Amino acid sequence: MTARIEYLSNVDYHGRVEAVSNSMSECYRVDGPAVYHARYVSRTLSGESADHFRIGNAVHAKIAGEEPPSIVPEEALTRDGKKFGKKWAEWRAEHSGEDYLTPAEARETDAMVESILANPTAARLLNLAKHREQSIFWDDKDSQLARKCRPDALVPGLIIDLKTTRIRYPTPKKFGRIGYEWGYHRQGAFYQDGVKQIMGEEWQPVYIVVSKLPPYCTLVSGWDENALDLGRSQVHLSLTRLARHYSAGDWSDELGTTISTLELPHWAWKED
């Protein structure tokens, strides 16, 4: 398959499971081959609930100028704004499958977007972004697997990724720690591989990070080459192992092959 860009909806992109995305690679790495097979091969396991992604998705949509989510009317919520009771159930049934925000979440989303656009660096990058959410497909020469990625935006030389965080004041050190835990260094390398197939050179991943907590601070930052090299080697290892499962048709894992040893967390030894 020649590397190519396709213009797909988000739903259609995620439905193309014949090509491995970063999130699919992460599923294999974190959850193991049996869960990967159930989710992406046999399709007997649906994805995790996206409820906690609603605000992040709404921020993405507003920045991209896309259709905003439905706003839940106040009368469908409890007095303290919670989603509960008959009126909420009726409203949700009428809007089944639609993205939505409560009025409070809509106000938070607006404040987050305002913070992003008030950041001179973030605003300049978004203004320069001419290619948004394009789906890139290519063949991985090492693993022989088809791969795909969908960057939020491309600016010449840069791969823009919009992230939301529960860190009230996101600094490079704080977000770097969270980014490592969530595997964002692997995501950055994965996207870098895909963009290189199209552009012919490595573009630098850059994150526009906005806090979900007041005053909704915004950070613009990116990984150094050491972090991306580590991420790329980890992605390569996952894809190599994943290719073996596809080739052999064997999706068993180590859980049923031996008696394992439980491990205490490192901080357990510090307790009395």
Side-chain angles (χ1 to χ4, degrees):
M1 176 176 63
T2 304
R4 67 188 188 278
I5 293 176
E6 294 191 22
Y7 299 89
L8 304 173
S9 69
N10 194 46
V11 172
D12 289 341
Y13 168 78
H14 287 292
R16 298 276 290 274
V17 294
E18 70 276 8
V20 180
S21 67
N22 177 72
S23 60
M24 293 167 67
S25 176
E26 286 294 292
C27 173
Y28 174 79
R29 178 183 177 87
V30 175
D31 297 325
V35 174
Y36 180 95
H37 179 271
R39 185 161 291 160
Y40 300 114
V41 182
S42 68
R43 310 295 293 274
T44 56
L45 180 66
S46 61
E48 300 294 337
S49 171
D51 191 65
H52 60 289
F53 292 129
R54 286 185 298 105
I55 291 180
N57 290 341
V59 172
H60 275 80
K62 188 148 189 160
I63 289 292
E66 299 173 353
E67 179 96 13
S70 301
I71 307 299
V72 183
E74 297 277 4
E75 57 269 22
L77 303 171
T78 62
R79 290 182 179 179
D80 54 357
K82 293 183 179 179
K83 299 170 289 184
F84 182 76
K86 181 180 178 180
K87 290 184 178 180
W88 159 250
E90 291 174 348
W91 186 90
R92 192 66 187 120
E94 292 175 2
H95 298 79
S96 178
E98 294 182 12
D99 291 333
Y100 70 89
L101 294 174
T102 66
E105 290 170 338
R107 291 189 292 271
E108 291 175 8
T109 298
D110 289 344
M112 293 164 70
V113 171
E114 288 176 6
S115 171
I116 292 170
L117 298 180
N119 181 293
T121 303
R124 184 172 68 254
L125 291 176
L126 292 171
N127 186 56
L128 291 172
K130 304 302 181 184
H131 307 286
R132 297 176 184 267
E133 298 194 1
Q134 295 178 335
S135 302
I136 301 173
F137 294 83
W138 75 101
D139 283 329
D140 185 75
K141 294 182 179 179
D142 294 325
S143 68
Q144 301 301 306
L145 293 175
R147 294 171 63 183
K148 64 179 180 179
C149 67
R150 187 178 170 88
D152 288 341
L154 298 177
V155 172
L158 301 176
I159 305 167
I160 308 302
D161 195 2
L162 181 59
K163 299 290 189 187
T164 58
T165 180
R166 297 292 297 178
I167 304 171
R168 190 178 296 275
Y169 181 58
T171 63
K173 183 176 181 179
K174 291 177 182 177
F175 187 73
R177 187 183 306 119
I178 294 295
Y180 170 76
E181 293 175 359
W182 283 93
Y184 291 160
H185 60 305
R186 289 189 292 273
Q187 181 196 43
F190 200 108
Y191 282 28
Q192 199 174 52
D193 287 351
V195 172
K196 184 177 181 180
Q197 293 294 317
I198 298 296
M199 301 301 178
E201 58 185 10
E202 288 188 348
W203 287 18
Q204 184 70 16
V206 172
Y207 300 97
I208 298 176
V209 184
V210 61
S211 175
K212 293 181 178 180
L213 303 175
Y216 310 106
C217 298
T218 296
L219 167 74
V220 181
S221 194
W223 298 111
D224 62 20
E225 288 305 313
N226 290 331
L228 291 170
D229 286 345
L230 173 61
R232 184 168 290 104
S233 67
Q234 292 173 338
V235 168
H236 175 78
L237 181 59
S238 293
L239 293 176
T240 299
R241 291 174 173 172
L242 184 56
R244 292 173 187 160
H245 288 285
Y246 272 110
S247 178
D250 179 6
W251 295 91
S252 58
D253 54 35
E254 298 178 355
L255 293 178
T257 61
T258 185
I259 299 175
S260 59
T261 301
L262 298 176
E263 298 181 11
L264 290 173
H266 66 87
W267 42 261
W269 309 108
K270 299 178 182 179
E271 295 184 344
D272 294 334

